Amino acid sequence: MARKWTEAQKQAIDSRNGTVLVSAAAGSGKTAVLVERVIQRITDTNNPVDIEKLLIVTFTKAAAAEMKERIAQRLSQLIHQEPRNQYLKRQKMYLSNAQISTMDSFCGKLIKENFEKVGIAPDYGMLSDIEHDMLKREVLNEVLEEVYSRPENETEDFLKLFTNGRNDFNLIESVLSLYEFAMASQSPLKWLETTFSEYFEELPIYETKCGQYCLNRLAEILEHILVKANDIISDAPENSNLAGAIANDLAPVQLSIKNILELIYNSPGKWDEIKLLTESLSLGRFPTIPKGEKDCYYDDIKGRRDGIKKYLSATCSVLICTEAEYKEDMEYLRPIMITLKDIVIRFMTRLNEKKQENNTYYFSDILHFALKILVEFNEDGTYTKTPLAIELSDNFAEILIDEFQDTNEAQDTLFSVISKNNHNKFMVGDVKQSIYKFRLARPEIFMEKYDTYKNSENAEDKIRIDLSMNFRSRREVTDATNFICGQIMKKQVGNVEYDEKAALYVGASYTEPQEENLYQTELLIATENPEEENSNAISEKEKEAYIVADRIR
C-alpha cells in the first residue's frame, strides 16, 4: 500500500541538489523519511546507488540495527513485487556489510583497516567509561604530585585560587573539564591555545569574549526593562489618576537606558562610562496617590514597577569591574593560567603515553586517530585532506547523519572531510531535543546551518527542510507542548526561538485498537493546515486508503 507523504517529507526524500539539513520535530516521521530516502537512492532509475555507497551514521547501536531492519523490510516488499529483480536482491544481500553504524563503530573500523598509519597495534583494546575515568584520575594525581612538590613561592597563588586548603577537588575537576572540551574539538592542542590566548593578549576588556558576553547580557536586560516600562505606561488607562504619574516616574529611567544602549551598540570602548551609568539607574518612591483616589489599577501597576526595580538592581552586577581592575586581574591571573595550561598539556601527554603502553584507548581517542589519518591541520585552522580521505570521499555517494543536533566539533569535521566538499550530506535532527551538551555535543553546529541554509525548493545547495507535522500525538498534547515551550524557549536561552517554525502541528488521526493490547494503527493524513485535520475535506474512503500498520517514528 503506497504511503502518503507530506510535501515537506517528500522534499526531504527526493531532494538531490546538494547538502540537506532536515529539522525534524518530535513524531514527525524522520526515521521513515530517512529509510525511504535510502530506498529511493538505491532504486533511482536515473542514478541508482548501491547500499554500500551510502554511509549512514546513527546515535546508538540499537538505532543502527533498527535502521538496517527497516531497510531490509522495504527491500523485501519491493522484491515481493518484482521477484525477478536481481539488482534488489543484491542490495539486500549487501545490506549486512553496509556502512550503517554509530560514529564510534565507523571510526573503529577505519582505524583497524589503517592501524599502521596511526602507529598503534591492531589488537588494541577499548576502555570502558569507568576504566577511562580511573585512568584519568590516576594520571592526574601523578601530575599534581609533581606540582605540589614545587617551591611554595611558585605555586602559592595558583593553589590559593584552585584549592580551598582542605582538598583539590576544584583543581581536579577544572583540569578534567578542560581535557574533555579539548578532546571534543577538532584539534585539542589548538583549542587549548585559543582558550588560554586571552590571558596572554593585552586586549581591552570589551574585545574579550567575557567582555562581549557581559555587554550583550546587559543589553538584553536593559531592552527587557524598556519593554516592561512601555507596557506599564500603555496599560494604565488615560483617565486613571496614575497614568500621568507613572509615565513621568519611568521617563528618566527609560531615557538613561536608551543612552546606555546607544553606547553599548556604538561605543563599547567606553566601558567605564557604561558601567557608571548602569550603576546609577534607579527608581525612587512610588508616585503618591491620595488614598481615596486610588483605583483598581494601582496595585497592579505598583507590582509591575517593583519588578522593574529588581531588574535595575540586577544590572549593577553585570559589569563587575572597571577597565583598570580588569587589567590588574589579568596580570595576576596570567602566571596562574600558564601553570594551569602546563598541567593540562602534561596530563594529556602522560595519559596518551599510558594508553599507548597498555594498548588501550577510549572512543574520543579513536575519533582523533581517524582525523589524524584523514587530515593535516594548518596553522590558520583550515585543513588539507590526505589521500585516504580523498579515497573515502570518492567511495561515498552520500553521507546520512541521524541525531545531528548531538554532534561535536570533531565529529562534524570528520563528516566534512569524508564528504564531497560538503555537497553530499543529509543531516537529520532537532535542536530542541538536544540533551547531550553535558557530553560536549554542540547544538550550535546545527543552529549555524539552520540559520544559513535556505528553506526553498529552488535552492541549489545547502537546503533546509522543516518537518513540523507530529504523527504521534493528539492535538491536546501538541497544543500544550507549544504553549509551554513558547513561553520558556528563547534564542537567549538554549539558542532556540520557539516560533511557528519550531512549533508542532498535528499531522495524523488515530483509530481505536481493534483488539485489546493490539497496536494502534495510524493515519498518514498530513495537511499543511492543521485546522483541517478533522474537517470534511478528507473523505472516509481516503482515510481508509492511507491506514498503515507500522508506527511512524
Side-chain angles (χ1 to χ4, degrees), residues 299-311:
D299 289 337
D300 176 59
I301 296 296
K302 185 179 184 303
R304 292 161 67 180
R305 181 185 181 275
D306 288 343
I308 286 182
K309 290 183 70 173
K310 291 180 180 179
Y311 278 114

Side-chain angles (χ1 to χ4, degrees), residues 132-314:
H132 192 229
D133 187 62
M134 291 176 61
L135 181 61
K136 287 188 296 183
R137 293 182 182 276
E138 175 189 327
V139 172
L140 184 53
N141 284 335
E142 293 177 5
V143 173
L144 292 182
E145 283 298 325
E146 297 172 1
V147 174
Y148 298 148
S149 64
R150 295 178 186 175
E152 185 176 342
N153 63 330
E154 292 183 14
T155 60
E156 181 179 3
D157 289 339
F158 176 80
L159 295 178
K160 188 184 299 181
L161 184 64
F162 282 100
T163 65
N164 59 12
R166 296 187 300 274
N167 59 63
D168 53 5
F169 175 81
N170 290 336
L171 175 57
I172 290 172
E173 292 305 308
S174 296
V175 174
L176 292 177
S177 178
L178 285 167
Y179 167 76
E180 297 296 340
F181 275 103
M183 292 301 289
S185 68
Q186 64 179 18
S187 179
L189 290 178
K190 182 73 175 177
W191 183 88
L192 284 173
E193 291 291 341
T194 303
T195 300
F196 283 91
S197 63
E198 287 192 356
Y199 291 97
F200 312 126
E201 299 172 356
E202 296 186 2
L203 294 173
I205 186 171
Y206 73 93
E207 288 186 7
T208 65
K209 291 180 181 178
C210 178
Q212 290 172 0
Y213 172 82
C214 290
L215 288 174
N216 290 336
R217 179 60 181 154
L218 178 60
E220 288 172 7
I221 297 175
L222 295 177
E223 293 277 11
H224 183 72
I225 292 174
L226 278 182
V227 171
K228 292 298 182 183
N230 289 332
D231 287 346
I232 290 175
I233 294 171
S234 62
D235 289 348
E238 294 181 4
N239 60 353
S240 170
N241 295 325
L242 198 55
I246 195 66
N248 292 333
D249 173 59
L250 294 175
V253 171
Q254 290 175 296
L255 180 61
S256 296
I257 288 177
K258 290 176 182 178
N259 291 336
I260 296 172
L261 289 172
E262 176 70 20
L263 290 175
I264 292 175
Y265 294 138
N266 299 316
S267 303
K270 296 182 179 181
W271 178 278
D272 287 350
E273 183 178 349
I274 295 171
K275 176 177 169 59
L276 187 63
L277 289 172
T278 302
E279 290 173 347
S280 66
L281 290 173
S282 64
L283 281 172
R285 291 176 58 84
F286 190 68
T288 303
I289 301 293
K291 189 173 182 180
E293 298 181 15
K294 291 181 181 179
D295 54 28
C296 60
Y297 299 100
Y298 183 87
D299 289 337
D300 176 59
I301 296 296
K302 185 179 184 303
R304 292 161 67 180
R305 181 185 181 275
D306 288 343
I308 286 182
K309 290 183 70 173
K310 291 180 180 179
Y311 278 114
L312 290 175
S313 299

Side-chain angles (χ1 to χ4, degrees), residues 371-385:
L371 285 173
K372 181 179 178 180
I373 62 178
L374 294 175
V375 296
E376 295 176 1
F377 289 104
N378 306 316
E379 286 295 325
D380 59 358
T382 60
Y383 58 78
T384 304
K385 289 186 178 185

Side-chain angles (χ1 to χ4, degrees), residues 9 60 117 169 183 199 234 236 439 444 447 494 503 515 528:
Q9 287 175 327
T60 64
K117 293 184 174 67
F169 175 81
M183 292 301 289
Y199 291 97
S234 62
R439 289 186 182 176
E444 296 89 349
M447 288 307 300
E515 297 179 16
E528 294 299 331

